[in-house]
Amino acid sequence: MLITITVNGKNVTVPENVGLTYLNELGFFGDVVIYNGFPASENVELKNDDTLCFIKKGVKPLEDELEHYMVSRHTPFVYEKLKNSLVAVAGLGGLGSNIAVMLARLGVGKLFLVDFDVVEPSNLNRQSYYISDLGKFKTDAIKSQIENINPYIDVCVQNVKVDENNVCELFFEYDIVCEAFDNAESKAMLVNTLLTETDKTVVCGSGMAGFFDANDIKTVKKFDRLYVCGDEINEAKSGSGLMSPRVSVCAGHQANVILQLLLES
Amino acid sequence: MLVNSVEMKLEETCNIKQFLESKNYNPLFVAVELNGEIVSKNKFEETNINDEDTLEIVSFVGGG
């Protein structure tokens, strides 16, 4: 009996009851061997549908193998599912820039990223930008960053201020909209408009300022199509700033609930 | 009535805007679900609530 496995993104047929080292005989070698999403430490017996990547450190991979290497630490079949999904992110500040990068690392196939502003120095304490981005539109800066992280993502951007008159049309194509604005009124506007006028699901951030306990930041399903991440209390204000750790924790909550929604759908 | 899963007594019928203001919510910063249905912000004044209702109020704070 023969079984079929995936090695470096290609189907390979091997006999039953052979171990991982059998693949060395077929010419596959690596400094790191990822077996079903986890580095292999022993000569495990191969099973049908196993996924393996043999990665050589310091060697530039072939174009058609790079994508498979990049996601070899994903749980098997997650990347394949995400490749056909789309997500919109409204606002590219501390939450949105970090969320966009996380969704790109996950391999969400199409991202729509919206912001009207340019990168300025006070953004760099928490937002995913560089000194070299100063003065650039956040949309352009994040798009070029994502091209350097995962070039297999289709990134669409728009430089526009989101308001109740354009919000439904802007996000028309996207079932999941991630709210990542700075301002409480804008957050409420986006949620109210999208939940009353469309059937989209909205994932919000609310309450991540200061250096309070990171464990106070939670994901809560508030309504049927509304998730809120944050501590819901600590607003950004004079005397309580926004800093990378709690903002990133909140961004991680938002990206993770989006991942769950995409995998459940 | 139930407000954010907490039981309370509504003394007299009022609209959503009045209720929010009486509980120190800013109507501009919230999303409200009345008996499982989201209520459009421009209907806060015309939507009355009574003591049998279930209200979920999400109040957003700034920062991102």
Side-chain angles (χ1 to χ4, degrees), chain A residues 8 29-32 54-67 69-70:
Chain A
N8 298 347
F29 296 96
D31 301 306
V32 181
F54 289 76
I55 299 175
K56 293 179 185 127
K57 289 186 183 176
V59 176
K60 196 164 181 244
L62 297 169
E63 192 80 16
D64 66 332
E65 289 181 346
L66 172 64
E67 191 172 6
Y69 290 146
M70 278 172 39

Side-chain angles (χ1 to χ4, degrees), chain A residues 94-95 126 181-182 184-185 187-189 191-192 195-196 204 206-208 222-224 226 228 232-233 235-236 242, chain B residues 4 26-34 36-42 44 55-64:
Chain A
L95 296 173
R126 67 193 187 285
F181 295 141
D182 195 31
E185 194 174 341
K187 290 173 186 287
M189 176 279 297
V191 169
N192 277 294
L195 292 189
T196 52
C204 291
S206 181
M208 75 300 294
K222 291 285 187 179
F223 303 164
D224 189 34
L226 175 66
V228 176
E232 297 187 60
I233 295 167
E235 63 180 317
L242 289 166
Chain B
N4 292 349
N26 182 337
L28 288 175
F29 296 171
V30 299
V32 175
E33 213 178 46
L34 174 62
E37 294 285 327
I38 177 126
V39 184
S40 173
K41 210 175 349 181
N42 50 32
F44 283 179
L55 210 57
E56 281 294 325
I57 304 164
V58 179
S59 184
F60 294 97
V61 299

Side-chain angles (χ1 to χ4, degrees), chain A residues 1 14 19 22 69 71 74 82 84 93 101 111 127 148 154 171 175 183-184 190 198 217 240 242 250-251 263-264:
Chain A
M1 270 284 279
V14 298
Y22 177 83
Y69 290 146
V71 297
H74 271 39
L82 296 183
N84 298 314
V101 166
L111 294 174
Q127 306 187 13
N148 273 299
D154 179 9
F171 300 114
D175 293 336
N183 171 285
L190 182 127
T198 73
I217 294 173
S240 182
L242 289 166
C250 189
L263 294 177
E264 281 163 12

Side-chain angles (χ1 to χ4, degrees), chain B residues 6 14 23 25 27 29 32 46 48-49 54-55:
Chain B
V6 178
C14 63
K23 300 290 176 198
Y25 287 107
F29 296 171
V32 175
E46 62 187 70
N48 286 326
I49 51 173
T54 299
L55 210 57

Side-chain angles (χ1 to χ4, degrees), chain A:
Chain A
M1 270 284 279
L2 295 171
I3 58 169
T4 304
I5 59 174
T6 307
V7 184
N8 298 347
K10 295 186 185 74
N11 284 343
V12 174
T13 308
V14 298
E16 258 188 332
N17 306 321
V18 296
L20 196 151
T21 51
Y22 177 83
L23 294 165
N24 300 146
E25 295 172 31
L26 303 182
F28 294 106
F29 296 96
D31 301 306
V32 181
V33 180
I34 312 288
Y35 172 73
N36 292 338
F38 195 75
S41 54
E42 53 187 34
N43 187 22
V44 287
E45 188 180 308
L46 298 172
K47 306 182 303 295
N48 210 31
D49 292 332
D50 277 348
T51 303
L52 295 104
C53 264
F54 289 76
I55 299 175
K56 293 179 185 127
K57 289 186 183 176
V59 176
K60 196 164 181 244
L62 297 169
E63 192 80 16
D64 66 332
E65 289 181 346
L66 172 64
E67 191 172 6
H68 301 286
Y69 290 146
M70 278 172 39
V71 297
S72 57
R73 288 300 300 266
H74 271 39
T75 300
F77 308 110
V78 165
Y79 191 74
E80 292 77 355
K81 182 142 194 189
L82 296 183
K83 217 171 161 50
N84 298 314
S85 4
L86 19 158
V87 173
V89 181
L92 294 173
L95 296 173
S97 63
N98 286 302
I99 292 165
V101 166
M102 287 184 223
L103 297 177
R105 290 192 192 280
L106 279 171
V108 173
K110 185 174 179 184
L111 294 174
F112 179 47
L113 312 174
V114 180
D115 200 293
F116 66 92
D117 216 349
V118 296
V119 181
E120 47 91 352
S122 79
N123 300 149
L124 299 181
N125 79 329
R126 67 193 187 285
Q127 306 187 13
S128 182
Y129 300 108
Y130 308 116
I131 294 285
S132 57
D133 292 327
L134 293 175
K136 289 182 192 164
F137 279 117
K138 290 183 174 180
T139 49
D140 296 336
I142 209 78
K143 185 177 162 81
S144 72
Q145 196 179 131
I146 289 175
E147 278 161 11
N148 273 299
I149 290 172
N150 187 339
Y152 305 99
I153 309 280
D154 179 9
V155 183
C156 301
V157 299
Q158 200 154 332
N159 295 308
V160 65
K161 195 165 171 60
V162 180
D163 61 35
E164 51 200 328
N165 300 313
N166 64 13
V167 60
C168 293
E169 196 185 329
L170 262 177
F171 300 114
F172 176 76
E173 200 187 331
Y174 300 85
D175 293 336
I176 298 176
V177 178
C178 178
E179 177 283 313
F181 295 141
D182 195 31
N183 171 285
E185 194 174 341
S186 304
K187 290 173 186 287
M189 176 279 297
L190 182 127
V191 169
N192 277 294
T193 316
L194 289 181
L195 292 189
T196 52
E197 294 182 26
T198 73
D199 55 6
K200 297 180 190 310
T201 297
V202 182
V203 176
C204 291
S206 181
M208 75 300 294
F211 52 91
F212 305 95
D213 196 334
N215 291 333
D216 292 343
I217 294 173
K218 294 182 171 64
T219 300
V220 180
K221 184 175 184 174
K222 291 285 187 179
F223 303 164
D224 189 34
R225 292 182 285 118
L226 175 66
Y227 295 80
V228 176
C229 305
D231 64 21
E232 297 187 60
I233 295 167
N234 290 299
E235 63 180 317
K237 58 184 179 189
S238 192
S240 182
L242 289 166
M243 292 167 288
S244 182
R246 291 184 102 238
V247 172
S248 300
V249 168
C250 189
H253 270 261
Q254 288 181 269
N256 193 54
V257 76
I258 291 168
L259 172 62
Q260 291 176 331
L261 289 167
L262 293 173
L263 294 177
E264 281 163 12
S265 67

